[in-house]
Amino acid sequence: MSGRKDFLSQPAPENYVAGLGRGATGFTTRSDLGPAREGPSEDQIKEALAKRAAALGNAPPTAYGVKESKKDDDDDDDRFQDPENDVGLFASGNYDREDDEADRIYQEVDERLDRRRKLRREAREKAEREEYERDNPKIQQQFADLKRALGSVSDEDWASIPEVGDLTGKNRRTKQNARQRFYAVPDSVLAGARDQQQLETSISADGTQTQNGGGESADGTMTNFADIGAARDRVLGLRLDQAAQGSSGTATSGTSTNIDARGYLTSLTSTERKAAEIPVGDIKRARVLLESVIKTNPKHGPGWIAAARLEEFAGKIVTARTVIARGCENCPKSEDVWLESIRLNSEVPQNAKIIAANAIKNNDRSVRLWVEAMKLENLPQAKKRVLRQALDHVPQSVVIWKEAVNLEENPADARLLLAKATEMIPLSVELWLALARLEAPDVAQVVLNKARKAIPASHEIWVAAARLQEQMGATNMVEKVMERAVKALAKENAMLTREEWIAEAEKCEKEGAVVTCRAIICKTLGSGLDEDDDRKQIWMSDARNSIGRGMYETARVIYDYAIGVFVNRESIWLAA
């Protein structure tokens, strides 16, 4: 002990760090941070204030709930201590009434701030708690609706719930092994089953079946297919004789049976429908499929139409009308759905008219609905009234104008309608030609000139002008009209092909305009063909095709035109 150094028993000097002289400096890890750097707690601060006031002989502080503390036996009780590092802070200071008053003021400020933040803090905490419970519900909350539904379960349903069996792994494997256990079957049993199910299609000379090497089957009976076939033929012949007697009314020898072919086929159709019996399973599956279609997309008109036609096919016409009525409610802008509804209610004209009126209210510019509504009327005046209303809504419809003209019995009224129609629709070739047919020849020529100016690219108007000249007896003007037609159409880039011109010529021949037919062939047969082309073979082929269609005048004109070009060809002369 005498060799012990004195400095070892002395306290370490201030700011002494062990090992610093030899470079072994200490270090701080991340685990040392955190609580080691936090300040004193509230209880520690209260205790320190009370000790300091007692050491100075002053009254204890009243702020922050500080009370007089007992003196400890340690030497540190006479100082205002920092509980973390045990170093005195402001140890020489006096704690007086002003300090106490300042502490109380700060306490009031802190409490007021805490009250102001309390509502927002509680609301925030409540919202966070609700969000957490909503994102992470408890098991009992997840099954709350199912538990409430259990209240409606009857006693019979509770009794029918199966008991929970023993599903442990050992027992389950045992049961599976018991179900999948196999036993060896003798070969004799397999051979007998094979021979019993075997079929033989060969027949011996005496008409018996040869099965298993003989005519006897597995159960010991004999099968004679020849007798079965003869009996079937006799039954069939008897039925045919009975049918013949029933259709003729009297069965007498030497008289033939008269059968109406059309009625017979109709009866066959109805009989086949009854015998076939509509496949109920297929109809049910189709009904389920179409119900899914119209529920998924109720605005899809074809789905409603298909569902209604399915019910019609099944023989439920009332159900079909109900389905298509729902389709009209869901698809009021679909003219196909309305037309189907009118068709299904056509047996009751009054209902069909009401449906047509509702359809036109929703689709007042539908030409098909106006025409169908016109057809539902029986009186001509009622039809005209419907068409006049249609023209007020759809004045540009050629179909409605043609229907209105067809209803007019007076040609003068029809001409007036067509004149108004060509004024409203100047680009309709049909209306111009119809007006020209109703007018006198001189007026018709003026009408065709107006039509030609309105529609310069229409070959029908030029052909009608040529036929008008033929009708007036000016046959020498027909070729001139066609010559002007070819030039005008070529200028408008509306020239037809050679085959199309031949078709127009055949049409004129069929309607009796032979001069116009010849003019069309003479002015257009060489169009589109160069000198290098084999024109002779092409024209010969065209003539043969016309002969095959029975248009001999057209073929004659083609041969004449070919002879004019190929004068020295013997084959053309012979064909002509």
Side-chain angles (χ1 to χ4, degrees):
M1 293 299 291
S2 62
R4 182 178 178 83
K5 302 298 182 181
D6 294 337
F7 69 88
L8 293 176
S9 59
Q10 297 177 359
E14 188 178 1
N15 297 329
Y16 170 75
V17 179
L20 182 62
R22 63 178 185 273
T25 58
F27 59 90
T28 303
T29 62
R30 184 173 298 178
S31 61
D32 297 330
L33 303 178
R37 294 295 184 263
E38 292 180 356
S41 63
E42 186 177 354
D43 295 337
Q44 292 174 342
I45 292 175
K46 293 177 182 179
E47 185 178 358
L49 290 175
K51 287 182 178 180
R52 178 169 176 251
L56 296 175
N58 297 329
T62 58
Y64 298 102
V66 179
K67 297 180 180 179
E68 183 177 3
S69 60
K70 297 180 180 180
K71 290 186 179 181
D72 298 332
D73 296 334
D74 300 337
D75 295 336
D76 296 334
D77 291 345
D78 58 349
R79 295 179 297 161
F80 178 36
Q81 298 178 352
D82 184 351
E84 290 296 325
N85 51 26
D86 199 19
V87 177
L89 297 177
F90 306 104
S92 59
N94 295 325
Y95 186 83
D96 52 9
R97 296 181 180 272
E98 294 180 356
D99 295 334
D100 189 18
E101 184 179 2
D103 289 339
R104 286 197 304 271
I105 293 173
Y106 278 113
Q107 181 184 7
E108 293 177 359
V109 172
D110 291 339
E111 291 176 354
R112 184 174 181 182
L113 291 176
D114 184 67
R115 286 194 303 271
R116 288 175 57 184
R117 298 190 186 98
K118 182 178 181 181
L119 296 177
R120 292 196 298 268
R121 184 175 65 253
E122 291 179 352
R124 186 180 67 255
E125 292 176 354
K126 182 179 180 181
E128 292 176 355
R129 183 171 60 256
E130 292 177 353
E131 182 179 4
Y132 178 79
E133 292 177 355
R134 184 171 59 254
D135 296 340
N136 302 279
K138 298 180 180 179
I139 298 296
Q140 58 183 5
Q141 294 176 352
Q142 295 179 7
F143 292 94
D145 53 343
L146 299 177
K147 292 173 66 177
R148 286 193 299 269
L150 290 177
S152 60
V153 178
S154 61
D155 297 338
E156 292 78 6
D157 295 337
W158 281 110
S160 62
I161 297 177
E163 296 293 337
V164 179
D166 188 1
L167 299 180
T168 58
K170 179 179 180 181
N171 293 333
R172 184 167 59 250
R173 288 192 298 271
T174 303
K175 293 179 181 179
Q176 291 178 355
N177 295 334
R179 286 195 300 268
Q180 296 179 359
R181 185 173 299 176
F182 298 98
Y183 297 93
V185 181
D187 295 340
S188 59
V189 176
L190 297 178
R194 180 198 61 191
D195 296 339
Q196 185 177 2
Q197 299 297 329
Q198 186 177 5
L199 298 177
E200 186 69 33
T201 58
S202 61
I203 300 176
S204 62
D206 57 354
T208 59
Q209 178 187 11
T210 59
Q211 180 175 352
N212 299 331
E216 186 175 358
S217 60
D219 55 356
T221 60
M222 300 294 292
T223 305
N224 194 322
F225 288 99
D227 294 342
I228 293 176
R232 183 187 61 184
D233 293 340
R234 286 194 297 271
V235 172
L236 180 60
L238 181 60
R239 290 183 179 178
L240 290 177
D241 293 339
Q242 292 176 355
Q245 293 175 2
S247 60
S248 61
T250 58
T252 59
S253 61
T255 60
S256 60
T257 302
N258 296 324
I259 298 176
D260 183 12
R262 183 175 300 177
Y264 181 69
L265 292 177
T266 305
S267 63
L268 282 180
T269 303
S270 60
T271 304
E272 182 182 359
R273 178 70 175 271
K274 293 179 181 178
E277 294 185 358
I278 301 172
V280 180
D282 295 343
I283 290 179
K284 290 183 178 179
R285 286 192 293 270
R287 185 181 290 115
V288 172
L289 178 62
L290 291 175
E291 284 290 338
S292 176
V293 170
I294 60 181
K295 286 182 180 179
T296 304
N297 188 5
K299 301 299 181 182
H300 186 59
W304 292 102
I305 295 174
R309 290 184 179 177
L310 176 66
E311 300 299 339
E312 182 186 13
F313 177 76
K316 300 180 179 180
I317 188 64
V318 178
T319 306
R321 292 172 182 170
T322 305
V323 171
I324 202 64
R326 291 169 52 201
C328 294
E329 295 176 359
N330 287 275
C331 307
K333 297 299 181 181
S334 176
E335 63 177 8
D336 293 331
V337 177
W338 286 108
L339 290 172
E340 184 69 16
S341 180
I342 294 173
R343 185 187 68 82
L344 291 174
N345 291 271
S346 58
E347 297 179 358
V348 187
Q350 192 62 29
N351 293 344
K353 291 179 183 179
I354 296 174
I355 294 172
N358 294 330
I360 292 173
K361 287 181 181 179
N362 291 278
N363 304 272
D364 57 351
R365 298 187 63 82
S366 175
V367 177
R368 297 167 61 190
L369 289 176
W370 281 110
V371 173
E372 195 66 28
M374 181 269 298
K375 292 180 180 179
L376 292 176
E377 300 292 342
N378 297 324
L379 300 177
Q381 294 299 328
K383 293 178 181 289
K384 293 178 182 179
R385 183 171 61 253
V386 173
L387 290 177
R388 282 195 295 269
Q389 294 179 3
L391 290 175
D392 292 339
H393 290 84
V394 196
Q396 301 295 326
S397 174
V398 178
V399 177
I400 296 178
W401 280 108
K402 290 173 64 176
E403 293 288 344
V405 171
N406 292 333
L407 287 176
E408 293 295 341
E409 299 178 356
N410 189 358
D413 295 338
R415 283 196 296 271
L416 291 176
L417 278 176
L418 285 173
K420 183 65 176 178
T422 54
E423 181 181 350
M424 297 296 297
I425 314 174
L427 299 180
S428 175
V429 178
E430 296 179 71
L431 296 178
W432 283 110
L433 296 179
L435 179 59
R437 282 192 293 268
L438 290 177
E439 295 288 356
D442 297 338
V443 182
Q445 192 171 359
V446 176
V447 170
L448 290 177
N449 289 333
K450 292 181 180 179
R452 188 178 67 250
K453 292 179 181 179
I455 315 173
S458 174
H459 69 279
E460 294 96 340
I461 297 176
W462 285 104
V463 174
R467 295 184 60 177
L468 179 62
Q469 295 297 328
E470 181 181 359
Q471 181 183 353
M472 295 171 63
T475 55
N476 57 339
M477 293 295 297
V478 177
E479 290 190 3
K480 293 182 179 180
V481 171
M482 288 307 304
E483 185 177 357
R484 291 175 55 193
V486 171
K487 293 180 180 179
L489 292 175
K491 183 179 179 181
E492 296 292 336
N493 293 326
M495 187 65 179
L496 300 182
T497 61
R498 180 176 48 81
E499 292 80 4
E500 292 173 342
W501 280 119
I502 293 174
E504 287 292 333
E506 292 178 352
K507 181 179 178 182
C508 292
E509 179 186 355
K510 186 183 298 184
E511 296 176 357
V514 180
V515 179
T516 305
C517 171
R518 295 182 63 87
I520 292 174
I521 295 298
C522 292
K523 298 301 180 182
T524 61
L525 190 62
S527 63
L529 295 178
D530 299 332
E531 295 182 358
D532 297 336
D533 296 333
D534 194 356
R535 293 180 293 175
K536 172 180 172 293
Q537 296 296 331
I538 294 175
W539 290 337
M540 295 286 284
S541 176
D542 293 339
R544 286 192 296 269
N545 293 335
S546 296
I547 293 172
R549 290 187 290 268
M551 301 301 169
Y552 298 103
E553 186 63 30
T554 303
R556 187 178 293 112
V557 178
I558 294 174
Y559 281 132
D560 291 343
Y561 186 87
I563 288 173
V565 177
F566 303 101
V567 183
N568 300 323
R569 296 298 179 87
E570 181 181 359
S571 58
I572 301 178
W573 284 99
L574 292 175

